Amino acid sequence: MGLPDVDERAGHRTGPGSVGLPATGGEGHTRAAIVKLLLEEGPITATAIGSALGLAPAGVRRHLDALIESGQARAGRSAPWQQKGRGRPAKQYQLTAAGRGMLGHAYDDLAGAAIRQLREIGGAEAVTAFARKRARTLVDGIEPLPAPGSDPESDGTGAEGARSGTVAKAEEIATALSDAGFAASTRRVGAGVQICQHHCPVSHVAEEFPELCEAELEAFREVLGTHVQRLATIANGDCACTTHVPLTVLPTAAGGTDSHNASPTTVAQPATDATNDSGRSAE
């Protein structure tokens, strides 16, 4: 999910506060608005930022240059499928790990120490149980979808309804995640829908305890009633946590159905469908 051939001066939180905000008012509000777009929409072009915020290109690039200089943002060329028209691919900008870290990760040290102590007392099983309970609270109140094929009377119309239901359920999950501070959205990609978490308030803890990410994915599977595939995570250095949810069930060699056999190339293939934002933000 990252941009190729671009150096990233990654780091961790050096103090509380917002990313790269100057001390004065107007400039600070503009910088904060740009950072918010980089967080929720990145990678994004300077032109798109200017259009969204009603800013002149020169002003946008000045703020972007400052963020890049401080190591809180980076730039790379658009992928071929993102390019519109002819000419050199436009630059796209996104936050680095250092930039996301400046958004704040409250109580990281305390949380890490608590989970380490839990592991010492109860072993790996206790950590896994804790992670699963936490993950289920993120989707608490969302009614699970039935597993594919559980309705014996389903037909073509029913299958289309199931696909629509999966998309709607993914959007419900994104809304719940945004309420919990993950700045999540959904987008249609190829033969599926992706849940994108543009911020992770526990990413620094998840680097040490991947059980948190694994339990989150398991909770998504339980709600969606189908296998889902994690394509990227912020804890591993990617720009977002991206989970692919297939909208079709692929046949196995034995003639059955198993979405585990989905080709990574197929599920990650971008499409021109518009992004379906959850309508919530992490703020």
Side-chain angles (χ1 to χ4, degrees):
M1 294 296 294
L3 297 175
D5 303 323
V6 181
D7 291 332
E8 174 176 345
R9 286 177 285 176
H12 294 286
R13 174 173 55 88
T14 57
S18 299
V19 178
L21 298 183
T24 56
E27 287 285 290
H29 289 306
T30 300
R31 185 74 55 83
I34 291 174
V35 166
K36 185 173 184 292
L37 277 178
L38 292 175
L39 172 68
E40 297 181 353
E41 305 292 339
I44 186 173
T45 64
T47 300
I49 293 173
S51 297
L53 300 179
L55 300 173
V60 172
R61 289 189 173 86
R62 178 167 54 82
H63 285 288
L64 291 172
D65 288 343
L67 290 169
I68 291 172
E69 178 64 26
S70 65
Q72 296 164 6
R74 61 174 178 162
R77 294 295 174 185
S78 302
W81 62 271
Q82 296 171 313
Q83 182 66 14
K84 295 181 180 180
R86 298 181 179 179
R88 191 178 184 186
K91 283 186 178 180
Q92 290 202 326
Y93 299 85
Q94 65 187 73
L95 293 181
T96 63
R100 283 191 299 269
M102 292 293 288
L103 292 173
H105 297 268
Y107 309 113
D108 275 0
D109 293 340
L110 177 61
I115 298 178
R116 282 189 291 273
Q117 182 68 18
L118 178 63
R119 183 168 56 191
E120 289 181 11
I121 296 173
E125 295 81 3
V127 174
T128 298
F130 166 78
R132 287 174 175 169
K133 184 173 182 179
R134 173 194 166 274
R136 290 189 178 104
T137 64
L138 295 175
V139 296
D140 186 40
I142 301 179
E143 192 71 23
L145 283 173
S150 61
D151 182 0
E153 298 181 358
S154 63
D155 53 18
T157 303
E160 182 59 35
R163 284 190 286 270
S164 298
T166 298
V167 172
K169 194 63 63 174
E171 291 173 354
E172 281 190 61
I173 292 174
T175 298
L177 291 171
S178 289
D179 289 342
F182 289 84
S185 63
T186 65
R187 62 181 181 183
R188 289 290 295 269
V189 176
V193 59
Q194 290 182 357
I195 301 171
C196 301
Q197 297 158 243
H198 306 282
H199 179 55
C200 178
V202 297
S203 62
H204 293 211
V205 180
E207 290 176 14
E208 181 178 356
F209 299 99
E211 293 94 338
L212 295 174
C213 297
E214 294 164 4
E216 189 178 279
L217 195 63
E218 183 179 314
F220 294 171
R221 289 182 182 129
E222 291 176 355
V223 170
L224 292 164
T226 186
H227 173 73
V228 298
Q229 181 180 4
R230 181 60 57 81
L231 302 179
T233 63
I234 292 173
N236 286 336
D238 298 297
C239 67
C241 297
T242 306
T243 304
H244 182 84
V245 183
L247 297 179
T248 57
V249 180
L250 302 181
T252 64
T257 57
D258 186 357
S259 58
H260 287 259
N261 292 334
S263 166
T265 301
T266 300
V267 298
Q269 194 65 237
T272 57
D273 298 86
T275 298
N276 297 316
D277 200 288
S278 65
R280 306 293 183 92
S281 70
E283 297 180 348

